[in-house]
Amino acid sequence: MCGIVGIVSAKNVSEKLLNGLANLEYRGYDSVGMCFVNGNKLNIKKGIGKLDEVHKRVNFLKLNGNIGMGHCRWSTHGGVTEKNAHPHVDCKNKISVVHNGIIENYSELKEMLIGKGHNFYSQTDTEVIAHLIEDCLKGNKIENAVRNALKKVEGSYALGILFADSPDKLIAARNESPLVIGIGNGENFIASDVPSILSHTKKMIYLDDREIAVLTKDSFKILNLDGNEKKKKIHTIKWSAEAAQKSGYKHFMLKEIYEQPRAIADTLNGRISNSHVIFEKELGLSDDFLKGIKRIVILACGTSWHAGLIGEFMLEELAKIPTEVEYASEFRYRHALLGKEALAVAISQSGETADTIAALKEAKKYGVKTLAICNVMGSSITRISDGVAYTRAGPEIGVASTKAFTTQLAVLYLLTIMLAKLRETLNESQIKDMIAGIRKIPLQLQSVLDEDNEILKCAELYYNKQNSLYLGRGINFPIALEGALKLKEVSYIHAEGYPAAEMKHGPIALIDKNMPVLFIAPHDVFTYKKVLGNIEEVKARGGIIIAVATHGDKEVPKKANHTIFIPKTLYTLSSILAVVPLQLLAYYIADKLGRDIDKPRNLAKSVVVE
Ligand code: M6R
């Protein structure tokens, strides 16, 4: 996820651009850049690091003019380097592009453009767009060149484009990445989100997929890629500035819960075809090594550790690789006996968790290969690992991890399919089914988010309870742990996650009419019937049963006080769907209690001490 902002105005826009970028910094802070058009020349300043650091070095306010755009980067293609910072330009330094998204066919396009004599400067997917437009320009109008170029592009983009020889026009385009057009007085704007330009205008147009916008200081025109002009509704935004920071959500945690369909789609983008997972190059580990792995050790803390437990389940069940999941904080204090054919996998949202870094360094002492599953490009964990698979959740600001968790599960799922294929533990049709299953997840997640009535009702009824128990089995036992952790973190209510059958070995003593018991009970052939039995045991003792079950299930609703439904999916994917109602329940309960949800007491987003 990156942020883009652009302005064309009758006045100097440098301060407004700088403020716009500051508002967008939550979307990425690997590098930042700005571009102005002055006297048929592009003027660009950029650098690695956060906006204030780069601004101190390059002084963005030395750039000025009536038309400009800025970008803050969350790296996906190409490392965190100045060369890879946006804006990117064509060969003649006449076309400048800022981009948020992923160009899936960039390698083919790059090869084709190099064949035509174009010279590339960066490793990014974005740069191909500047050269492609250059290629399509040749005497054409600039908007036609942009349209023709974008017809060749596959993938997601929100784009800002400036032309040195058209110093009065700002062009924008969108496909599957957010972009709004702000309509001002004597000036017009483009931005990745509404809040970044809300102090200048409340009038917004939401671009739809495969539309381009041509803006001058006092006009705007929206076209589809065939060049037909489109009539668009102008929305008047009523949010307060504070609400706007969170795109209208009350807290970042809620915003991030709702971002999950998008985050999973981004995580899958360009990594799956109908029949296989395209992952090997990214991982930086050879096929021979991956085929020969004898054992996997997963190292992680907190929510990432819960993702690891689900990963263990997938890797053992489907890729048939013996896997252990270690608390990173404990790993250093025991003798792990790792051999050279082991792979150590560190899972971390931040990539900066001190315990996970220490465990990874410890694993490296055994000479094993290491892989990071991480959300932050260039973070410490990614730098010390042999290979990296990035989750593409975008910046997670709420302390309680939500979208990082579900994207970690998506990456573990892809890793499992890739290993299963290499090791021939799954056949082609099984792999196809698994890929078809995860393709549906973004839409299925959206439907879970759209049906939150029962969750809200449970929060209303039980927010003042002192304790609660979360129970699940098999692949969904870690979801019980995660649901309980979410509730503890943000509401400060004591909650325990347990394997459903273990309950009768102790915790069952706690059950009475005041104890909410959350069951994760999706309809599968492995654990469902047993979980039904466990629900009966709680019911017989008067506990309050809240169950997460599969749409169409007739049995669970007969026994539970409340049933929250999730769509039917593969057993290995049920966890991604089942966790979402539990995230929402924790959020709504904490909100009823008036907790400081995004910054719960005693917690930090990255725990950088051991
Ligand atoms: O950044 P990491 O994934 O390494 O962080 C690990 C834990 O500190 C983190 O998951 C923590 O448990 C969260 N607050 C859970 O919501």
Side-chain angles (χ1 to χ4, degrees), residues 150-221:
L150 292 181
K151 282 182 179 172
K152 300 188 169 75
V153 168
E154 287 164 24
S156 57
Y157 51 77
L159 295 167
I161 308 162
L162 289 176
F163 290 82
D165 293 329
S166 297
D168 58 339
K169 276 187 184 166
L170 170 61
I171 309 250
R174 172 205 148 117
N175 189 46
E176 294 176 11
S177 287
L179 195 69
V180 293
I181 308 295
I183 307 301
N185 212 343
E187 54 188 2
N188 289 317
F189 304 80
I190 62 169
S192 296
D193 70 14
V194 167
S196 55
I197 50 172
L198 197 59
S199 54
H200 310 304
T201 178
K202 292 202 174 297
K203 291 197 171 118
M204 305 283 168
I205 295 174
Y206 295 100
L207 273 196
D208 286 312
D209 285 349
R210 301 182 82 71
E211 286 182 345
I212 74 165
V214 183
L215 310 182
T216 67
K217 65 181 171 35
D218 35 36
S219 72
F220 64 88
K221 187 166 75 174

Side-chain angles (χ1 to χ4, degrees), residues 301-304 347-351 353 399-401 485-486 489 607:
C301 299
T303 287
S304 298
I347 307 179
S348 173
Q349 186 285 131
S350 61
T353 301
V399 162
S401 197
L485 178 63
K486 287 287 90 83
E489 275 189 296
V607 184

Side-chain angles (χ1 to χ4, degrees), residues 584-604:
L584 282 171
L585 184 65
Y587 172 82
Y588 287 132
I589 287 178
D591 193 37
K592 289 269 330 158
L593 292 166
R595 303 299 192 221
D596 189 355
I597 294 183
D598 287 330
K599 293 193 183 92
R601 69 183 180 203
N602 308 336
L603 287 170

Side-chain angles (χ1 to χ4, degrees), residues 1-3 26-28 72-74 76 100 255 259 393-395 403:
M1 188 154 93
C2 301
Y26 76 93
R27 299 179 68 87
C72 49
R73 180 168 187 241
W74 182 268
T76 56
N100 169 35
K255 175 172 179 264
E259 278 172 353
K403 61 179 181 168

Side-chain angles (χ1 to χ4, degrees), residues 104-391:
E104 288 174 21
N105 60 338
Y106 88 99
S107 315
E108 296 142 62
L109 291 173
K110 191 168 177 177
E111 212 172 292
M112 179 273 284
L113 289 160
I114 289 173
K116 288 183 161 193
H118 289 258
N119 292 317
F120 280 78
Y121 184 73
S122 73
Q123 287 100 43
T124 62
D125 53 339
T126 303
E127 197 185 339
V128 296
I129 296 184
H131 293 277
L132 200 57
I133 297 172
E134 180 184 20
D135 204 57
C136 295
L137 194 55
K138 298 183 184 135
N140 278 315
K141 276 173 75 178
I142 57 172
E143 47 260 51
N144 293 344
V146 171
R147 285 193 301 102
N148 290 335
L150 292 181
K151 282 182 179 172
K152 300 188 169 75
V153 168
E154 287 164 24
S156 57
Y157 51 77
L159 295 167
I161 308 162
L162 289 176
F163 290 82
D165 293 329
S166 297
D168 58 339
K169 276 187 184 166
L170 170 61
I171 309 250
R174 172 205 148 117
N175 189 46
E176 294 176 11
S177 287
L179 195 69
V180 293
I181 308 295
I183 307 301
N185 212 343
E187 54 188 2
N188 289 317
F189 304 80
I190 62 169
S192 296
D193 70 14
V194 167
S196 55
I197 50 172
L198 197 59
S199 54
H200 310 304
T201 178
K202 292 202 174 297
K203 291 197 171 118
M204 305 283 168
I205 295 174
Y206 295 100
L207 273 196
D208 286 312
D209 285 349
R210 301 182 82 71
E211 286 182 345
I212 74 165
V214 183
L215 310 182
T216 67
K217 65 181 171 35
D218 35 36
S219 72
F220 64 88
K221 187 166 75 174
I222 315 291
L223 307 166
N224 65 16
L225 291 192
D226 292 324
N228 301 319
E229 201 164 334
K230 297 190 78 180
K231 273 221 160 338
K232 302 284 291 187
K233 183 169 177 205
I234 301 179
H235 299 259
T236 303
I237 305 296
K238 298 196 178 85
W239 300 338
S240 70
E242 207 218 330
Q245 283 286 331
K246 294 161 193 146
S247 307
Y249 290 99
K250 193 170 174 189
H251 295 95
F252 281 109
M253 180 180 177
L254 191 62
K255 175 172 179 264
E256 286 157 6
I257 290 172
Y258 274 83
E259 278 172 353
Q260 289 178 109
R262 176 78 257 147
I264 300 279
D266 282 349
T267 301
L268 300 179
N269 202 341
R271 285 170 161 170
I272 47 176
S273 73
N274 282 343
S275 54
H276 63 281
V277 169
I278 308 145
F279 222 14
E280 287 91 332
K281 268 198 200 149
E282 240 182 279
L283 295 189
L285 298 167
S286 73
D287 279 4
D288 281 347
F289 168 74
L290 294 169
K291 267 186 213 163
I293 295 172
K294 293 266 184 297
R295 180 176 165 206
I296 292 181
V297 178
I298 296 179
L299 309 165
C301 299
T303 287
S304 298
W305 185 77
H306 297 156
L309 292 176
I310 294 171
E312 173 185 29
F313 205 96
M314 296 179 191
L315 289 161
E316 293 200 329
E317 178 84 12
L318 303 168
K320 310 288 179 213
I321 305 175
T323 303
E324 290 138 70
V325 190
E326 303 273 355
Y327 278 120
S329 53
E330 289 296 313
F331 182 70
R332 282 204 300 167
Y333 304 106
R334 62 190 213 76
H335 225 81
L337 303 175
L338 295 180
K340 287 236 161 69
E341 284 153 335
L343 172 70
V345 178
I347 307 179
S348 173
Q349 186 285 131
S350 61
E352 301 297 347
T353 301
D355 286 320
T356 311
I357 295 174
L360 194 57
K361 287 185 176 160
E362 182 69 20
K364 283 173 88 83
K365 286 189 194 154
Y366 292 89
V368 301
K369 290 261 185 241
T370 54
L371 173 71
I373 296 178
C374 189
N375 197 35
V376 181
M377 202 166 205
S379 57
S380 304
I381 285 174
T382 66
R383 287 199 304 269
I384 57 178
S385 301
D386 297 304
V388 186
Y390 284 103
T391 49

